Amino acid sequence: QAQLVESGGDSVQAGGSLRLSCAASGYTTSSAYMGWFRQAPGKEREGVATIYTRGGATYYADSVKGRFTISLDNAKNTLYLQMVSLKAGDTAIYYCATTEGPVPAIQVLDVAVYNYWGQGTQVTVSS
């Protein structure tokens, strides 16, 4: 069973940058997708970015395209999310998650298809 531990959350000014990390252990070779999700106060959890672990294809929510970059270091079993040009609307708890495939392309950012989750890391962006 995969265990995921996020780190890197912080409080930053709008326009700033952060890099989140997610250390994976008990990682199974059958895990097909890993991703970042976020949940703002009073809102539902939403998909931010995901990566296909076996081929490297990446997927982004429209709200973060061009600002966030997801990457995976297989040697370190670590998932990253580089965030630049942060906005107040990016304030949320960010979660790392993984799932075993296959997953239809239309669902790669769907919270419901991910079955292993980290505890989350807080990102606060002040304007």
Side-chain angles (χ1 to χ4, degrees), residues 51-102:
I51 186 167
Y52 181 53
T53 64
R54 301 166 189 167
T58 56
Y59 307 85
Y60 295 93
D62 288 342
S63 59
V64 306
K65 281 180 181 177
R67 301 188 299 121
F68 291 10
T69 303
I70 189 171
S71 60
L72 177 64
D73 186 331
N74 282 306
K76 296 182 178 180
N77 285 341
T78 301
L79 182 73
Y80 300 100
L81 184 68
Q82 179 68 51
M83 306 184 292
V84 301
S85 301
L86 283 162
K87 306 175 182 179
D90 296 318
T91 295
I93 299 174
Y94 283 71
Y95 298 90
C96 172
T98 188
T99 186
E100 299 174 352

Side-chain angles (χ1 to χ4, degrees), residues 8 31 36 48 56 78 85 89-90 95 107 109 112-113 120-122 124-125:
S31 294
W36 288 98
V48 174
T78 301
S85 301
D90 296 318
Y95 298 90
Q107 289 185 280
L109 289 172
V113 305
T121 186
Q122 177 71 48
T124 303
V125 184

Side-chain angles (χ1 to χ4, degrees), residues 16-68:
S17 302
L18 281 175
R19 188 178 79 157
L20 305 182
S21 300
C22 172
S25 60
Y27 191 77
T28 68
T29 56
S30 63
S31 294
Y33 288 88
M34 292 189 75
W36 288 98
F37 298 77
R38 67 186 182 186
Q39 188 165 17
K43 295 187 177 181
E44 294 186 353
R45 194 171 299 188
E46 63 177 359
V48 174
T50 63
I51 186 167
Y52 181 53
T53 64
R54 301 166 189 167
T58 56
Y59 307 85
Y60 295 93
D62 288 342
S63 59
V64 306
K65 281 180 181 177
R67 301 188 299 121
F68 291 10

